Amino acid sequence: MSASSFPLFEPSSPPQLTPASELELADPDFYKIGYVRSMRAYGIEFREGPDGFGVYASKDIEPLRRARVVMEIPLELMLTISGKLPWMFFPDIIPIGHPIFDIINSTNPETDWDLRMACLLLYAFDCTDNFWQLYGDFLPSVDECTSFLLATEEDLQELQDEKLASAVRAQQQRAFEFWETNWVPHSAVPLKIKRLAQEPERFMWAMSIAQSRCIKKEIRIGALVQDANMLVPYADMLNHSFQPNCFFHWRFKDRMLEVLVNAGQQIKKGEEMTVNYMNGQMNNFLMQRYGFSSPVNPWDVIQFSGHSRVHLDSFLSVFNISGLPEEYYHNSKLSGDGDNFVDGAVIAAARTLPTWSEGEIPPIPSLERKAVKELQEECQQMLAGFSSTAGQDQQILESMPEARRTLEAAIKYRMHRKLFIGKVVQALDIYQERLLY
């Protein structure tokens, strides 16, 4: 999850984030339970607002040639399950012969990591004097989660994306069947298992925490190297960004997960520390896995017919986009001081628009104008297929400030989709103007 040390693009309309000074500092116990168990943080502070926790710089961080450590979390605090057999987990809190072993062993290590992690998490909450019993008080409750494992059918309808809704229903059914197999109350289920998740909602919640907060990383334990899924306390409070200022690193010599600031990165006091949860994923995947989306996701895609194409090199040069397709970035040094139009959506447009490129052959203006018009018409047809506009979605959100988190996330998802398509229409307008005149 490493990131480059320079911003890939400048958002044209950055989200209105709550300043750190307006967020409450984390409860002292939040720090205490970690510090007494050797968790360490340097130059950062945890703050809590209406959208949950975030990590912020407590002082200015000057750019250095080497990455700088801001957090260290020992393996003993993590919940860790390997991604392949022989499976191993940390901390070693489950006694030999406990029936949770049989439940975990009934799963597929490569595909059921979230089910396995949910089982381990539920057991950790029930284990006397375990760290996670205390840390669980700071995790989002069922009502505070945006995970669509907890979504209602009404929430799924509000997505206005039947393919995504079907995928979420399949995940919900998978989780429910697993709970039904192993937890449904009857005489054959031992009490020590039954009490972990007496209701399916409890297991759904544990699985949503596993999916939305798990870090997948290769770790070395002694001579064994394993692909591991890890729930890392404190590090899981870092929010997502497509242009993050931090990344994770496994320090095998003393079994620590480090959070480091990118080399050359300057961070001002009060600025949020972020990581990239998963590079190269569209909004529909981010919504299904994490419960959020973004109108400036540089990896989002529009499915065009492919009948009309614009000249690739011309489009890139108009917006000063450099690099290879998998590494496109906005070269802001070539843009004017007032040119802040290019954001992640324009980067995504450069990847998703149908294009042509034939060596040194220049584009013919009349053909480019025709292609632009046809592509814009396709975009307008897509927007017309929605039952509401982005503006109407915004009004709906403002009219229901106490909405369920999953309902709010669903409306934002469809709104972000429309904003992305609208941005592509604007980008084609600017391309046409700058190229032809």
Side-chain angles (χ1 to χ4, degrees):
M1 292 189 186
S2 60
S4 61
S5 58
F6 53 90
L8 299 187
F9 42 78
E10 299 295 332
S12 60
S13 55
Q16 300 301 310
L17 300 176
T18 305
S21 59
E22 297 180 16
L23 301 174
E24 294 290 334
L25 277 170
D27 188 293
D29 285 344
F30 178 76
Y31 295 90
K32 183 178 179 181
I33 62 174
Y35 286 162
V36 298
R37 292 170 172 82
S38 300
M39 174 270 177
R40 292 293 179 263
Y42 313 99
I44 62 172
E45 56 192 13
F46 297 87
R47 290 183 175 270
E48 187 175 13
D51 295 325
F53 277 91
V55 184
Y56 297 84
S58 61
K59 61 182 181 181
D60 290 346
I61 299 178
E62 298 301 324
L64 295 177
R65 295 180 63 183
R66 297 182 62 183
R68 179 182 312 195
V69 176
V70 293
M71 211 184 302
E72 297 173 317
I73 302 98
L75 180 64
E76 288 70 23
L77 290 190
M78 306 177 199
L79 290 181
T80 304
I81 284 190
S82 62
K84 58 185 178 182
L85 296 174
W87 72 272
M88 57 196 298
F89 64 89
F90 294 94
D92 190 1
I93 56 177
I94 304 180
I96 298 297
H98 193 282
I100 199 72
F101 272 114
D102 296 330
I103 296 178
I104 293 177
N105 280 328
S106 70
T107 63
N108 185 324
E110 296 184 4
T111 60
D112 295 336
W113 63 270
D114 48 355
L115 299 175
R116 293 150 61 85
M117 184 62 77
C119 291
L120 190 57
L121 182 61
L122 287 170
Y123 179 82
F125 287 144
D126 189 62
C127 185
T128 305
D129 297 326
N130 181 48
F131 167 82
W132 283 86
Q133 268 195 332
L134 303 173
Y135 191 74
D137 292 339
F138 301 98
L139 295 175
S141 65
V142 171
D143 294 335
E144 295 169 333
C145 276
T146 58
S147 170
F148 267 59
L149 283 171
L150 304 167
T152 65
E153 184 59 32
E154 178 190 355
D155 300 335
L156 299 183
Q157 293 298 327
E158 293 295 337
L159 287 169
Q160 297 183 1
D161 184 337
E162 186 53 37
K163 186 175 181 180
L164 174 58
S166 296
V168 171
R169 290 189 193 101
Q171 284 293 308
Q172 290 177 331
Q173 184 65 24
R174 169 174 169 260
F176 179 78
E177 289 177 352
F178 184 79
W179 174 85
E180 194 173 39
T181 300
N182 297 287
W183 269 276
V184 68
H186 57 74
S187 57
V189 178
L191 178 60
K192 61 177 67 176
I193 291 295
K194 187 185 300 184
R195 70 189 183 200
L196 300 183
Q198 296 188 25
E199 301 294 333
E201 290 76 13
R202 176 68 173 173
F203 183 79
M204 293 281 197
W205 174 80
M207 188 169 163
S208 73
I209 293 295
Q211 286 190 353
S212 61
R213 291 173 174 263
C214 192
I215 299 168
K216 186 173 184 179
K217 198 163 188 66
E218 185 178 84
I219 64 174
R220 174 179 165 187
I221 305 293
L224 183 65
V225 177
Q226 281 274 23
D227 288 324
N229 296 292
M230 304 183 289
L231 279 178
V232 185
Y234 299 97
D236 67 346
M237 296 298 178
L238 287 157
N239 288 317
H240 167 81
S241 174
F242 293 112
Q243 40 185 356
N245 48 31
C246 295
F247 66 98
F248 299 124
H249 174 257
W250 175 252
R251 197 170 73 202
F252 72 89
K253 65 179 180 180
D254 54 355
R255 307 198 304 184
M256 287 271 190
L257 185 86
E258 299 176 316
V259 179
L260 298 99
V261 174
N262 295 327
Q265 184 88 50
Q266 183 175 30
I267 302 175
K268 297 294 184 181
K269 179 180 179 180
E271 186 176 340
E272 187 171 13
M273 319 291 278
T274 57
V275 292
N276 191 336
Y277 286 178
M278 195 165 286
N279 197 37
Q281 294 295 342
M282 295 169 54
N283 274 346
N284 56 2
F285 180 86
L286 295 178
M287 177 60 66
Q288 183 179 336
R289 171 77 181 271
Y290 300 103
F292 71 83
S293 58
S294 170
V296 293
N297 183 349
W299 299 99
D300 223 2
V301 171
I302 296 176
Q303 297 297 335
F304 289 97
S305 65
H307 299 314
S308 302
R309 300 174 179 272
V310 294
H311 189 254
L312 175 60
D313 293 337
S314 299
F315 187 88
L316 297 178
S317 63
V318 160
F319 294 106
N320 296 313
I321 297 174
S322 304
L324 298 173
E326 296 302 308
E327 300 172 349
Y328 278 156
Y329 66 95
H330 178 220
N331 193 337
S332 56
K333 293 182 179 180
L334 299 178
S335 302
D337 294 336
D339 186 1
N340 61 354
F341 177 79
V342 179
D343 61 8
V346 179
I347 300 293
R351 291 193 177 101
T352 195
L353 280 170
T355 59
W356 66 276
S357 181
E358 296 184 14
E360 301 298 324
I361 300 177
I364 299 174
S366 60
L367 295 180
E368 286 295 291
R369 185 186 293 112
K370 181 175 181 290
V372 165
K373 182 179 179 181
E374 291 173 349
L375 289 171
Q376 288 178 321
E377 287 176 352
E378 282 196 58
C379 289
Q380 295 297 347
Q381 290 173 3
M382 295 176 196
L383 291 173
F386 290 100
S387 59
S388 62
T389 65
Q392 290 170 336
D393 292 338
Q394 184 63 49
Q395 291 176 357
I396 293 172
L397 288 171
E398 293 171 354
S399 67
M400 38 189 272
E402 302 299 323
R404 293 187 309 278
R405 297 302 302 276
T406 47
L407 177 59
E408 179 185 9
I411 297 173
K412 284 183 177 179
Y413 170 78
R414 75 191 195 203
M415 181 177 71
H416 291 163
R417 183 66 177 170
K418 297 161 196 172
L419 290 174
F420 171 43
I421 297 173
K423 185 79 171 188
V424 173
V425 173
Q426 290 179 295
L428 288 169
D429 271 334
I430 294 175
Y431 168 65
Q432 184 177 209
E433 292 170 3
R434 294 183 181 176
L435 178 67
L436 303 180
Y437 300 105

